[in-house]
Amino acid sequence: MVSIVIVSHSAALAAGVKELAEQMVQGKVQIAAAGGVNDAANPIGTDPMKVLAAIESVYSDDGVVVLMDLGSALMSAETAVEFLPPEHQVHVHLCPAPLVEGMMAAAVQASIGSSVAQVMAEAQSALSVKIQQIAPDMMTADTTSDGEALDGETAEIVVPNRLGLHARPAARFVSLAGQFEAEVQVRLGGKTANAKSINQVATLGVRQHDTIVVTAVGADASEALAAIQALAAANFGDTDAEVVVETAVPVPGKWAGIPASPGIAIGPVFQYRPQLPKIVTRQVKDNKKQWQKLETAVAESRAEIKTLHAQAVLQIGADEAAIFEAHQLFLADPDLLDAAKQIIYAENINAEAAWNQAINATAEQYRQMDDAYMQARAADIEDVGLRVLSHMMKVERPSLALKTPAILIAADLTPSDTANLNPALVLGICIEQGGATAHSAILARALGIPAIVGMGAQLASLKNGQNIGLDGQTGRLWVDPTDAELENLAQKRIDWLTGQKKAKETAKKTAVTTDKKRIEVAANIGSAYDITTALDYGAEGVGLFRTEFLFMGRDTAPTEAEQYQTYRQVAEALGDKPLIIRTLDVGGDKPLPYLNQGQEANPFLGWRGIRYCLDHPEIFKPQIRAILRAGHGHRIRMMFPMVSTLSELKTAKQLVKAAKKELQSEKVDYDNKMKIGIMIEVPSAVAIADQLAKEADFFSIGTNDLTQYVMAADRGNANVAGLANALQPAVLRLIGQTVEAAHHADIWVGVCGELAGNVLATAVLIGLGVDELSMSAPAIPAVKEKIRSFSIREAQKTAKAALLLDSPEAVQTFLEKQ
């Protein structure tokens, strides 16, 4: 199966894009992230060795697709590929797709077992939807057709979603259809679309209450239709959250626009007016070279969007960040790329002009649609289109990194622009164009930035530094407000900020069941830079610090002093909250160039985790010493990964004991009473959990690996990926057995795999007796809210019923009804 690597200037952004993609594909695709540089003072940048390590960690002869954000990311990726053996280089492909949209499209396409060429094509065509909807008259080929329907099994579906099959539900629909071998077609009226093409599905313009006809032809046609009907019954995964109503009521003496994001802002104007150089149409002789130029730019753009998506996940959560999944799918759609390619070859013109024509055509198609929400998608198409053009024209996107707080004024903001904003410095947003259902408006709401859209060209008359006030709730803008108006706005802003503070305080409150049982909810992190986000989402500590990120992207292992400083920095940021540091979990599947780990036929069953560390005390011992030292005066716990035998745990503890003696003799402060736990990730650990519990102070269940090993199913193998579902009754039963053995020995149990952040599984895990849940930060508020909704007795009843079911699908259906 094709694997994917994310390269970004920002470690947080790379990690966030990876997290969002993994949530979409549920472990079916191997994904690695290489973000930032190991410089605490200047962490933004790219490191070729980090990229190399990421590629090697997920390498597959089926192909590795590398998505990058911008600038030096491409150079770092190219350099990393040069370090690979020649026989591996040919299987690594730098994809010119936008980072976020490209990543989402590539992940979805890879998850259904597509070839590397198909994954690249889908990643690169994610913009075709915008082109078709915004400028259909400029398209050389329509993304939908009026052709004959397939002759096969059919199902009529009435679409329940308030906004119809917009970008995100369309992406879910396409992803599901792609999991089946059957050819799947969707028809609305006289138009048909390939159900495995995000752009064709989106541009059908399916609205709420429309009836679509889904037809499937192939051996698994019945199964495909049944799955699609089930998705439709689940509202295509949408929550149908309230949509802001677009109203622009003129107010005497004040400017008025469309309310887009509530809140009050007062401050100076910052005009943002980016422009690309004029796109000149030129006749060319080498069409192939122009096509390759476009492919490269699309790959670079997809890499950027992937990074942007990761950043958005960390900032606003996976649901809102899914906007950039749609962007990736736009660039992944082969119809858009084919349209641009046809223009290049038919008209013999330069790639920039051809791409611009294709984008404008798709964007115009969206504008011509009847539905206002779908019309707003034209901005998404133009966003990804401009991103690709900027790469082809070697133009850096203007920075929106404000130096001082201000209100941002612009003709329009793309979703990419909006997602990059810093809410601490962007007090508010006013834009000339757009509507309340535009993705830029959705992102502004998610970021908590007051915003008004549809203000018109009058905004261009505002001067930089000019004082203004805005009310995002009413859509009113005050230019050079009077003292009385300023006083009134200031009081409204205080009231608004007070309300926001209370909402955050609620998220930060402990998670207590209705019968007063407290459950600790913590965050999984990969670096010190993740702490602020984790705490902001209400983390009560860190349940998993993945230290392998400290070892990646460098030529030598980090020194004891370097590790000590990092662990200490995280502990100090947490204050009195607990921090669980997992020792190095690296092996054949996550290689480090400087460790000379060698190649293994099956790295998941090879030299990794505690096995590798015990064989290399020169790597292991300095880390143990650093953790012990950082623990002095802080609530740090040490955790060993991949423990499969009692002797491994005992040997590791002997190393800890030896490290303590060394530190004591050196008169260095350390935590002499540090708690030591282990990851429960392999079936053998569950089988001897009673023995391990006598030596460990706590267990943390890694459901990702445990599921893979229990079910003997590689999550990266599309043929068996369906088995690797943590809701498998067999996996749930092993969790229950682990908890029982631990509690019998009077130690606590946590869960730190993806299952911990799945709200559907919360009651089951608590009902099985799990004491702590650790997850990606954005999942914390929803899990806490869920915990507060049931009693321990109710959770136990739910868990007991789930264990009696015969499949993960049955478990999920049961839990959805609870």
Side-chain angles (χ1 to χ4, degrees), residues 427-449:
L427 303 175
I429 299 170
C430 282
I431 60 177
E432 296 176 10
Q433 304 172 25
T437 56
H439 278 154
S440 56
I442 294 170
L443 289 170
R445 291 195 287 274
L447 288 167
I449 301 175

Side-chain angles (χ1 to χ4, degrees), residues 394-419:
K394 306 300 180 185
V395 176
E396 289 286 341
R397 290 172 72 92
S399 173
L400 273 169
L402 276 61
K403 304 295 184 184
T404 57
I407 295 176
L408 183 63
I409 306 296
D412 199 4
L413 285 178
T414 68
S416 301
D417 292 330
T418 312

Side-chain angles (χ1 to χ4, degrees), residues 1-2 62 106 108-120 122 178 718:
M1 174 173 285
V2 174
D62 291 332
V108 171
Q109 199 68 27
S111 71
I112 59 177
S114 299
S115 68
V116 69
Q118 292 171 318
V119 172
M120 291 275 285
E122 192 68 17

Side-chain angles (χ1 to χ4, degrees), residues 524-585:
N524 298 338
I525 68 169
S527 75
Y529 305 111
D530 298 338
I531 285 297
T532 300
T533 300
L535 293 176
D536 200 43
Y537 276 107
E540 298 168 23
V542 169
L544 173 63
F545 184 173
R546 300 183 177 97
T547 60
E548 52 267 23
F549 293 110
L550 301 178
F551 290 75
M552 294 178 177
R554 50 190 300 149
D555 298 325
T556 60
T559 65
E560 177 184 325
E562 288 177 303
Q563 293 185 67
Y564 166 74
Q565 290 296 334
T566 298
Y567 304 150
R568 187 86 179 177
Q569 181 182 351
V570 174
E572 289 176 352
L574 285 172
D576 62 351
K577 295 180 174 64
L579 166 62
I580 298 178
I581 300 177
R582 183 177 70 186
T583 58
L584 182 61
D585 184 14

